[in-house]
Amino acid sequence: MSADVQSAWIAAGAAIVVGLASLVTSIWANITAGKTQASADATARSLEDLKADLADKNDAAKAKRDYEYDARKRLYRELYPLTFQLQEAALSARHRIMNLALAAREGYLAPGPNDWLTSSNSYYFTSVVHGLIAPLAIYELMSRKLTLLDLSLDDDLRCQHFIARQAYEALRSDYNLSQAPYPPIAFGEGKTTYEPPEEPPDVRPLEAKQRWSWRQGLYSGQIGQAVAIMLHIDGSASRVMSFAEFAGALSGLDLRTDDNPEDADTAAGNMKSVLRPMSDLIAGFHPARRPVTWRILMAQAACYRTLALAQSGNLTPQALLHASTLAGVRDPTDFDWIGDGEASIPPALKGTVDFAAEQKAALAAGDQFIANAFKGYAKA
């Protein structure tokens, strides 16, 4: 084969190789371009999806912020005024409980003409009934408003409402507070359990027997009726009666006496009838005669101390619990109803029970009540 022919074949082969290489390069470029375009398209779609997702999240976040802003405004507008009233009523109730301890310590709850609860002037008795119901009635008003409010938006308000509910619950916890896990009560006369009849007897039992055979708390329905009768309704607005309004609504009727038939159909007569269970609870009250009622009052006193501290909004639930204990109160006479025991313990009950030990147990029961409540709050 001549040199010219070889050169021609070599040239042709080279051209074929170059053509194939060019073809392969072109195909690879097209494939790569396709992949690049597909990747770009996928990236673009992802960016659009991300933008849409972010827009949805921003819209949701804005809607949530708008909801919370409006809900907080309603919450603060409706509940904050009531929390201030609740603080005042709780402070007053706590002082009223301390005053009952003072009255017992000084002999002013002993049988006779000097008994403040049975004196000819019904003012003290009426003020005790009003003072003990008022914070529970404010709690009821708060609860009624919660159907339209979101309490979860404010931890301080939620905590205050929760504590107020415990004070409400305490008034119907007579059976619970008289049993384990609370410290036992030495009822006397060989009795170890609290056994009041469903219906109060026509004649009040002797002092020693009252310790276990007289109902010393209220049923839920009785509490509900009592707080409802304390509310002043003015159109769509409701508030708790002041003491002056409360006394005026009774129109001079004495809560301590039997109902008069001629008053049965009057507003005052109805009010007195509704308050009868509460009146029976307070009538003849003395910590030595009604140890379970005194435990209820200690539980409420613990709640009211906690409530006053909660108003600051600066304490955690655990710090509130630590600061609200009764057993460690700075002034030991705050809830000391015994004193030296000379004037405080009714003669018929002297020597029957270790009242000093019982007084300490009542303080411990109050602390245990609020501690148990906060365990439930932590789980809520």
Side-chain angles (χ1 to χ4, degrees), residues 216-233:
Q216 298 178 47
L218 299 182
Y219 295 118
S220 294
Q222 294 170 332
I223 302 171
Q225 289 181 312
V227 299
I229 208 73
M230 283 272 289
L231 300 181
H232 180 83
I233 310 299

Side-chain angles (χ1 to χ4, degrees), residues 94 298 301-302 305 309 320-336 359-368 370:
R94 181 178 167 85
M298 290 299 94
R305 179 176 174 82
L309 295 168
L320 279 175
L321 179 59
H322 178 73
S324 64
T325 55
L326 297 172
V329 289
R330 292 181 180 179
D331 185 353
T333 65
D334 279 356
F335 301 104
D336 174 21
Q359 179 169 258
K360 291 180 180 178
L363 290 171
D367 289 340
Q368 188 174 343
I370 195 68

Side-chain angles (χ1 to χ4, degrees), residues 229-350:
I229 208 73
M230 283 272 289
L231 300 181
H232 180 83
I233 310 299
D234 184 9
S236 60
S238 301
R239 59 180 175 80
V240 177
M241 290 183 184
S242 66
F243 174 72
E245 290 172 330
F246 179 71
L250 285 170
S251 299
L253 294 183
D254 191 336
L255 291 173
R256 302 170 297 180
T257 61
D258 292 335
D259 293 321
N260 299 317
E262 63 271 18
D263 297 321
D265 295 329
T266 66
N270 177 60
M271 188 175 189
K272 179 177 177 178
S273 177
V274 167
L275 292 172
R276 170 60 60 190
M278 186 67 179
S279 299
D280 287 343
L281 194 69
I282 303 301
F285 171 75
H286 189 291
R289 295 188 202 106
R290 315 273 174 81
V292 182
T293 300
W294 186 243
R295 285 195 174 192
I296 289 174
L297 295 178
M298 290 299 94
Q300 290 185 322
C303 292
Y304 296 146
R305 179 176 174 82
T306 310
L307 194 59
L309 295 168
Q311 289 284 340
S312 68
N314 296 325
L315 298 176
T316 64
Q318 191 60 36
L320 279 175
L321 179 59
H322 178 73
S324 64
T325 55
L326 297 172
V329 289
R330 292 181 180 179
D331 185 353
T333 65
D334 279 356
F335 301 104
D336 174 21
W337 62 265
I338 298 176
D340 61 10
E342 290 299 318
S344 59
I345 301 175
L349 294 176
K350 285 188 175 181

Side-chain angles (χ1 to χ4, degrees), residues 92-252:
S92 177
R94 181 178 167 85
H95 286 164
R96 178 58 62 194
I97 296 168
M98 290 165 58
N99 189 259
L100 285 169
L102 170 66
R105 187 168 67 246
E106 299 297 327
Y108 295 121
L109 295 184
N114 293 327
D115 187 339
W116 290 352
L117 291 173
T118 60
S119 67
S120 58
N121 187 337
S122 64
Y123 166 80
Y124 187 77
F125 186 94
T126 306
S127 69
V128 169
V129 172
H130 176 271
L132 294 181
I133 296 177
L136 310 184
I138 296 173
Y139 159 75
E140 174 66 17
L141 280 181
M142 294 175 71
S143 298
R144 290 184 181 186
K145 292 179 179 291
L146 290 183
T147 56
L148 301 175
L149 300 172
D150 188 350
L151 197 57
S152 67
L153 294 173
D154 191 293
D155 287 340
D156 292 337
L157 287 176
R158 175 172 168 263
C159 184
Q160 291 175 54
H161 178 264
F162 170 81
I163 297 168
R165 185 177 72 192
Q166 304 316 304
Y168 189 103
E169 291 293 321
L171 192 53
R172 68 184 190 94
S173 297
D174 47 329
Y175 285 97
N176 291 342
L177 285 165
S178 67
Q179 300 171 356
Y182 294 97
I185 298 177
F187 289 103
E189 296 190 340
K191 289 289 181 178
T192 59
T193 56
Y194 172 61
E195 300 174 356
E198 285 294 320
E199 294 293 331
D202 294 333
V203 178
R204 193 176 300 158
L206 297 176
E207 288 181 295
K209 194 174 181 180
Q210 284 183 46
R211 288 179 56 81
W212 57 271
S213 69
W214 186 260
R215 184 71 198 277
Q216 298 178 47
L218 299 182
Y219 295 118
S220 294
Q222 294 170 332
I223 302 171
Q225 289 181 312
V227 299
I229 208 73
M230 283 272 289
L231 300 181
H232 180 83
I233 310 299
D234 184 9
S236 60
S238 301
R239 59 180 175 80
V240 177
M241 290 183 184
S242 66
F243 174 72
E245 290 172 330
F246 179 71
L250 285 170
S251 299

